[in-house]
Amino acid sequence: MDGSDRASETTVDLRSDTLTRPTDSMREAMARAEVGDDVYGEDPTVNALEALAAERLGKAAALFVPSGTMGNLISVLAQCGRGDEMILGADAHIFYYEQGGAAGFGGVQPRTLANRADGTLDLAEVEAAIRADNDHYPVTRLIALENTHNRCGGRVLGVDYMDAAAALAHARGLRLHVDGARIWNAAVALGVSPARLLAGADSVSACLSKGLSAPVGSVVAGDRDFIRRARRLRKALGGGMRQAGVIAAAGIVALEEMVERLAEDHANARLLANGLAALDGVRIDPTAVQTNLVYFELARPGPDAGDFCAALERRGVRMGATSATGVRAVIHRHVHAAAVDRTLAAVAETLRAAAA
Ligand SMILES: *Cc1c(COP(=O)(O)O)cnc(C)c1O
């Protein structure tokens, strides 16, 4: 028991998997953690986390960073110069939710392509978007993919697709970055190791603080030269931390104990999606729910999604509106099957009340 289970009896909070609190095992590891000054490279717990993350992600080296946003920013800045172009999806988290940091801090020009419903980019379109060598054009340096794809419903990009994207990037002298905030969910859903899924990627940023329940932190991984540049950038961005072993200790527990259990979250997400599909007033394709993110639409005529979420919250269930008709529910460790049942009952009541 970590206290969080008691809290979830009063409210079912489905706004995000970032709400997960550290486990008892994490708190014990944090209390015991041996520490040193990580800016000097002398924190043994941070060093152990970085070695473990590099191994799990199949890369030569890794770096502990305060957030996924900083992990992506560092990864892009380490691989692109000012005026260079990066190709990414118009629904990519990097493009949509990171304040344009790569442009703001690095002068990197985003070249967006439409994401397909499954989160992928059409590789023929990617190839066509790669700039020729011409004095008029910027230089294309990087392709960025997202796996699982957040705005595309937590969809998983498969091994063959990831390999094909890497092959295209490398054939054209580009590098491939993967925003793998939820790469652990992708790997569990596919039944492959993250290392295999990322075999062709030059860099990856992966969150420890979402479904894996660590309180803080992400890791970036890649080759040694990339990580050396990433380490310099982390310092410049103010992300050099001192006795960070206190939080890295929780990250080690996250990688060792919390990955396989994500399958439970995926099963509960399917339970929620199937239940929602049976309700009048909800539109959802439950077969598209592959991991822990459940996006659905409110049918028209029907309540505005913001009003729906406010009314649902009064019934003890919190979700997020994504548009006038769209709603997102995120399954995580504090949401058990009984809470899914409670959620479905609350959604049904809320829709009935709105229709009355
Ligand atoms: C959450 C998320 C991030 C950023 O992580 P923070 O730790 O919140 O900065 C990046 N990419 C995707 C796809 C995410 O879902």
Side-chain angles (χ1 to χ4, degrees):
M1 264 296 218
D2 54 34
S4 53
D5 296 306
R6 282 189 298 278
S8 70
E9 282 166 23
T10 50
T11 304
V12 183
D13 202 333
L14 299 168
R15 288 171 302 161
S16 179
D17 46 8
T18 56
L19 298 165
T20 47
R21 288 169 288 262
T23 64
D24 284 348
S25 167
M26 288 177 184
R27 288 181 183 275
E28 281 160 26
M30 293 170 82
R32 277 198 320 268
E34 270 187 64
V35 297
D37 189 328
D38 180 52
V39 172
Y40 289 100
E42 293 174 3
D43 188 301
T45 307
V46 172
N47 292 340
L49 170 63
E50 291 176 346
L52 179 61
E55 182 214 311
R56 295 292 163 89
L57 298 167
K59 302 299 166 201
L63 183 72
F64 186 43
V65 295
S67 70
T69 299
M70 190 186 283
N72 281 330
L73 180 59
I74 285 174
S75 297
V76 174
L77 299 191
Q79 297 177 101
C80 299
R82 300 190 71 82
D84 286 344
E85 206 162 65
M86 119 176 108
I87 297 172
L88 79 177
D91 282 312
H93 195 281
I94 292 176
F95 182 67
Y96 218 95
Y97 293 122
E98 298 182 9
Q99 283 191 29
F105 299 115
V108 179
Q109 170 157 282
R111 174 82 181 268
T112 57
L113 301 175
N115 281 102
R116 296 188 289 201
D118 65 0
T120 59
L121 301 176
D122 180 334
L123 293 182
E125 285 181 26
V126 172
E127 181 150 36
I130 298 170
R131 304 287 192 158
D133 182 8
N134 178 309
D135 281 356
H136 297 84
Y137 297 158
V139 176
T140 311
R141 293 275 183 214
L142 190 69
I143 299 170
L145 296 175
E146 185 173 317
N147 198 3
T148 66
H149 201 292
N150 187 336
R151 283 179 60 83
C152 292
R155 295 285 290 265
V156 176
L157 282 59
V159 171
D160 291 347
Y161 179 82
M162 297 290 285
D163 286 351
L168 169 61
H170 298 153
R172 300 295 299 267
L174 312 182
R175 291 171 67 97
L176 176 68
H177 173 66
V178 178
D179 176 357
R182 296 189 181 83
I183 197 71
W184 323 105
N185 297 81
V188 165
L190 290 167
V192 302
S193 67
R196 173 63 195 92
L197 192 52
L198 295 164
D202 298 289
S203 62
V204 57
S205 174
C207 286
L208 304 169
S209 63
K210 290 189 169 166
L212 300 192
S213 304
V216 179
S218 281
V219 284
V220 296
D223 63 31
R224 291 191 189 284
D225 184 53
F226 164 78
I227 290 297
R228 191 182 52 72
R229 281 176 284 137
R231 196 175 168 89
R232 284 184 59 82
L233 284 160
R234 183 184 67 175
K235 189 75 178 81
L237 293 169
M241 298 178 284
R242 301 295 180 175
Q243 284 71 36
V246 171
I247 49 175
I252 292 173
V253 175
L255 292 182
E256 286 181 340
E257 299 180 6
M258 304 303 286
V259 176
E260 292 308 318
R261 67 150 304 286
L262 294 173
E264 287 171 39
D265 294 346
H266 300 174
N268 284 329
R270 277 192 296 277
L271 212 58
L272 177 62
N274 288 332
L276 288 169
L279 297 178
D280 279 337
V282 172
R283 287 193 293 122
I284 183 171
D285 172 8
T287 65
V289 175
Q290 298 176 330
T291 58
N292 67 323
L293 306 185
V294 180
Y295 284 76
F296 59 95
E297 293 281 324
L298 300 175
R300 305 278 82 165
D304 168 84
D307 296 340
F308 168 84
C309 289
L312 191 63
E313 186 164 344
R314 291 193 286 277
R315 291 184 165 81
V317 176
R318 303 178 87 176
M319 295 183 183
T322 56
S323 69
T325 55
V327 180
R328 185 180 87 154
V330 183
I331 297 289
H332 53 75
R333 170 177 135 257
H334 305 313
V335 182
H336 305 134
V340 172
D341 289 342
R342 230 188 103 192
T343 298
L344 288 167
V347 170
E349 281 168 30
T350 302
L351 289 170
R352 261 199 306 278

